[in-house]
Amino acid sequence: MQSGQVAYRALEGRRILLGVTGSIAAYKAAALCRLLKTAGAEVRVVMTPLAKQFITPLTMATLSKNPILVEFFDPENGAWNSHVSLGEWADCYVIAPATANTLAKMRTGVADNLLLTTYLSARCPVAVAPAMDLDMYAHPATQENLRELTARGVKIVEPGEGELASGLTGKGRMAEPEEIAASLNALFAARTDSPLRGRRFVVTAGATIEAIDPVRFISNHSTGKMGYAIAGELARRGAEVVLVSGRTSLPTPAGVERRDVLSADEMFHATVEAFADADGAVMCAAVADYTPAEVATTKIKKNDGELTLALRRTRDIAAHLGTQKGRRVLVGFALETDHEADNAEAKLTKKNFDFVVLNSLRDPGAGFGGDTNKVTFIDRRGREELPLLSKTEVAARIAGRIESLLTKN
Ligand code: CTP
């Protein structure tokens, strides 16, 4: 292995939170911590109470040059160890070793120690290096937990085969520190060498709100999660991102410039303006196709009869950008409930998209609100159906496709 500085260049200056759980492999966490520090990363360590039985906090504190965090608060002076600020601080959270117990708790959202509450609060990429006996690793429960965590975007650094602490030989031995450091390096390297670096992208996200009167409106179920994940991912890969956002309750992703709008008309103007000097756009918003022809200035009072609302068409933002795009990249979404692929293909041509990301509301795990999505990419050459993935992972795949388009253009 080459020296740390050369081998893990992308780790320099990164803030890495290292989680250590109670496994015999905890001794390797010391070597990992050292490698990360040598590569120029800032490291903080959070341990489970049991991990202290395997490696001393003093060792980890000395190597990381930071106090070790184990408890929710310091029993001496009552100082609170905030899992939220730890999660915000980190550019990446790596749990190595990760026991079967911790993986199961991560999957179900158990929050009975600082390492786990930090996992639940972390917004950064998370990686785990499982370590356990071969039968525990092969057990369907563990395998199912790993599959589910992968679907949510957790990176698994696979254990190796070899002699285990139990004396048995098989798969379950934690990956070597060099391998873990290399996968963290790859996580950041992809982001610094991206063709998206310095490119300007517009992303639309969330639901629009069409006022009926001062009290009521027409809207839809979009939460904006997919669009926000895309904006965050493009920014992580170095793009300058303008996020034109309808109504959502999500925090603005790091490094993204957010412009809030309400109605489809407002979104049209904000998006067209931002697209003028952009290299591309991803149209993820659920834009109302119709808006009340007139907005009542006072609250509409009920009476006994039916109420008919006259609606007018809104402008199609994506189709408008499609007429102006030239060689720029334009990505659209299609949310369909029937004849999914045919409808999505029609949108590809009609709106002049480079590719369409199709979600079908018929797929379990896809659609509004959740953290997973099941999509198919459709372009002029064909279709690529992806498995059920976390929205973060879908965002990474979309960003990857945009990168190849930018390289070709
Ligand atoms: N879109 C847009 N402006 C609109 C309507 C849609 O930019 N006024 C974009 C969406 O963000 C998405 C794509 O167009 O990227 C397709 O949206 P969708 O609602 O699936 O399709 P529509 O064009 O509205 O067609 P239909 O309602 O007939 O399915």
Side-chain angles (χ1 to χ4, degrees):
M1 180 50 68
Q2 307 159 62
S3 85
Q5 289 88 330
V6 176
Y8 316 114
R9 191 168 280 147
L11 293 180
E12 193 175 348
R14 300 290 181 180
R15 290 186 294 212
I16 298 178
L17 185 61
L18 170 59
V20 184
T21 69
S23 151
I24 193 74
Y27 76 93
K28 290 194 197 168
L32 174 61
C33 180
R34 199 151 185 274
L35 270 181
L36 301 176
K37 287 294 290 179
T38 317
E42 222 182 299
V43 182
R44 298 188 71 181
V45 180
V46 53
M47 295 170 79
T48 60
L50 189 61
K52 290 198 296 182
Q53 309 291 325
F54 290 91
I55 185 154
T56 71
L58 180 62
T59 308
M60 297 307 292
T62 312
L63 292 170
S64 67
K65 299 193 169 57
N66 270 315
I68 300 310
L69 303 156
V70 180
E71 306 295 344
F72 290 109
F73 58 88
D74 184 332
E76 301 283 306
N77 58 17
W80 178 245
N81 291 325
S82 165
H83 53 91
V84 176
S85 45
L86 269 178
E88 277 175 358
W89 170 85
D91 292 325
C92 167
Y93 186 15
V94 56
I95 302 175
T99 57
N101 182 41
T102 291
L103 294 170
K105 288 177 174 179
M106 286 169 74
R107 184 202 171 164
T108 48
V110 174
D112 63 358
N113 63 43
L114 186 64
L115 180 140
L116 289 164
T117 46
T118 305
Y119 163 65
L120 293 175
S121 311
R123 294 199 194 129
C124 58
V126 176
V128 292
M132 64 199 74
D133 190 52
L134 77 163
D135 293 315
M136 286 175 88
Y137 183 72
H139 196 282
T142 306
Q143 288 302 314
E144 214 177 297
N145 291 338
L146 287 169
R147 265 197 304 279
E148 179 59 32
L149 289 172
T150 308
R152 290 187 208 155
V154 174
K155 185 178 174 59
I156 317 287
V157 188
E158 293 252 339
E161 300 220 7
E163 198 188 323
L164 302 166
S166 58
L168 298 171
T169 304
K171 195 165 177 177
R173 210 183 140 97
M174 186 174 91
E176 292 307 316
E178 288 79 6
E179 204 183 317
I180 302 171
S183 14
L184 299 184
N185 190 70
L187 206 74
F188 293 115
R191 302 191 158 115
T192 46
D193 308 341
S194 167
L196 276 158
R197 191 148 209 89
R199 304 294 189 111
R200 206 171 155 77
F201 266 75
V202 186
V203 178
T204 66
T208 61
I209 289 197
E210 311 302 322
I212 298 171
D213 68 13
V215 182
R216 289 97 169 193
F217 57 80
I218 300 172
S219 192
N220 58 68
H221 292 301
S222 169
T223 56
K225 276 189 182 171
M226 194 62 248
Y228 272 56
I230 294 168
E233 185 59 31
L234 296 178
R236 263 195 294 282
R237 294 182 190 219
E240 280 174 41
V241 181
V242 176
L243 174 60
V244 181
S245 175
R247 185 199 48 164
T248 78
S249 53
L250 300 169
T252 311
V256 166
E257 181 189 332
R258 169 168 159 185
R259 298 186 188 162
D260 285 331
V261 295
L262 281 177
S263 65
D265 287 347
E266 281 177 32
M267 187 171 270
F268 181 90
H269 291 296
T271 310
V272 170
E273 190 197 324
F275 192 64
D277 59 353
D279 297 292
V282 183
M283 312 303 287
C284 204
V287 188
D289 291 324
Y290 291 91
T291 191
E294 302 219 358
V295 183
T297 51
T298 53
K299 185 179 170 195
I300 300 172
K301 290 289 181 189
K302 64 176 166 297
N303 54 38
D304 291 339
E306 288 180 354
L307 172 72
T308 306
L309 278 179
L311 301 176
R312 69 166 167 82
R313 276 292 307 270
T314 56
R315 280 197 279 182
D316 192 318
I317 311 168
H320 182 79
L321 300 194
T323 61
Q324 323 196 317
K325 92 176 202 59
R327 293 167 67 86
R328 294 182 285 176
V329 175
L330 191 60
V331 180
F333 270 73
L335 178 67
E336 307 291 345
T337 54
D338 58 290
H339 302 98
E340 292 88 341
D342 292 343
N343 284 336
E345 240 159 49
K347 282 174 193 170
L348 182 77
T349 330
K350 194 169 140 213
K351 308 201 189 193
N352 198 15
F353 290 135
D354 289 285
F355 67 94
V356 169
V357 184
L358 163 68
N359 325 236
S360 166
L361 272 190
R362 284 200 285 194
D363 282 321
F368 300 116
D371 287 320
T372 54
N373 209 353
K374 171 113 181 46
V375 303
T376 303
F377 291 142
I378 299 183
D379 66 12
R380 286 169 184 78
R381 284 173 313 169
R383 298 172 188 180
E384 183 193 351
E385 199 177 327
L386 302 186
L388 182 69
L389 295 169
S390 66
K391 286 190 174 166
T392 324
E393 186 56 32
V394 172
R397 305 285 182 102
I398 292 170
R401 274 205 161 221
I402 294 175
E403 285 177 338
S404 24
L405 285 168
L406 289 171
T407 320
K408 278 186 218 136
N409 279 354

